[in-house]
Amino acid sequence: MKLSSTTINTRLLAFSLCGMLLGSCQETTPRDIATAAPDVSADSAMASAETTGEYLDWETASLNGKQPALGKTEALYKMLGQPDSVVKPNMNEFCGSFYDKPLQYAYFKQSVVEVYGDTAVIGSLNFRNNPQLELRTAAIRLNHNTTLDELTKRFPQAAKKQGSVDVEGLGKLTTISIPTGKTPNDDAWLLFFDGGKLVRIDYWMPC
């Protein structure tokens, strides 16, 4: 079961672990970013899914059309190979996981997956370092060739609320937030663009 949310800052979607940025200390931190997402409240972003139909469906989301967003660890490793590293976070300095139980983070060239024994959950997909990856839903495919212009046409309301943020290792990026389903929930997809091209997607959950 997904975690419920506490109060979310109405001008900032963010998650932070140990105050670190992704890629700066991969051996000691999990999805370690302090990332500002679009200048929009979580509540309004989620409500817009019901009124506009703009969402990336979590239920049908998969990695390359083969690995579900919530799938089996063995199948993930068979598809991607063994991870570059596996990190067990300090649970006392930890928040924002899919399940409220101990986990490990598996890294694949700065793409990150939450691992709970035989269960794996997509966390962060870095298309710049993993151009072979693709996030698919029943309605759309997102990869390193996806442009901000394309997403603006498909998700105009979300694109109106885009923001910018500095991400270590990637630079200053344009970012938008898209709900994970038509029914309002606490989580969201964060999409990051550089030069108008999609470079990263995070599955975001509040602490």
Side-chain angles (χ1 to χ4, degrees):
M1 175 178 284
K2 299 179 187 179
L3 291 176
S4 61
S5 172
T6 54
T7 301
I8 304 173
N9 186 299
T10 59
R11 300 298 292 174
L12 193 67
L13 281 174
F15 61 90
S16 175
L17 290 166
C18 309
M20 307 295 288
L21 296 178
L22 181 63
S24 62
C25 191
Q26 189 182 89
E27 296 303 314
T28 58
T29 57
R31 245 187 308 167
D32 28 339
I33 75 169
T35 294
D39 187 19
V40 59
S41 72
D43 290 341
S44 64
M46 292 159 198
S48 69
E50 290 193 311
T51 57
T52 67
E54 293 187 11
Y55 61 92
L56 292 172
D57 186 21
W58 167 265
E59 298 298 330
T60 63
S62 69
L63 192 59
N64 293 13
K66 299 177 180 179
Q67 175 75 10
L70 174 61
K72 295 296 183 182
T73 304
E74 182 179 357
L76 177 76
Y77 288 1
K78 188 173 294 185
M79 183 174 73
L80 297 182
Q82 291 300 307
D84 302 323
S85 61
V86 178
V87 176
K88 184 176 181 180
N90 182 342
M91 299 304 292
N92 294 323
E93 301 177 344
F94 168 83
C95 68
S97 63
F98 189 86
Y99 291 114
D100 187 16
K101 60 183 181 181
L103 77 158
Q104 293 179 311
Y105 283 85
Y107 289 87
F108 301 87
K109 297 179 182 178
Q110 292 192 352
S111 289
V112 188
V113 175
E114 295 181 3
V115 176
Y116 303 86
D118 63 355
T119 300
V121 183
I122 290 175
S124 180
L125 301 179
N126 185 311
F127 297 119
R128 179 174 289 172
N129 292 342
N130 300 269
Q132 80 281 8
L133 298 185
E134 185 173 70
L135 181 70
R136 300 184 189 179
T137 72
I140 195 171
R141 295 185 178 189
L142 301 172
N143 54 46
H144 71 288
N145 290 317
T146 301
T147 68
L148 181 57
D149 286 343
E150 291 172 329
L151 265 293
T152 297
K153 293 176 182 177
R154 191 67 178 268
F155 303 99
Q157 298 306 312
K160 285 179 182 178
K161 300 167 184 175
Q162 66 185 255
S164 63
V165 62
D166 285 315
V167 178
E168 186 167 324
L170 292 175
K172 189 171 185 178
L173 307 179
T174 299
T175 179
I176 64 174
S177 171
I178 300 176
T180 61
K182 186 174 182 179
T183 302
N185 208 331
D186 291 338
D187 54 4
W189 297 105
L190 300 186
L191 283 66
F192 299 84
F193 298 84
D194 184 22
K197 286 288 188 74
L198 183 64
V199 294
R200 177 168 142 183
I201 295 177
D202 289 355
Y203 173 59
W204 176 87
M205 293 156 288
C207 294

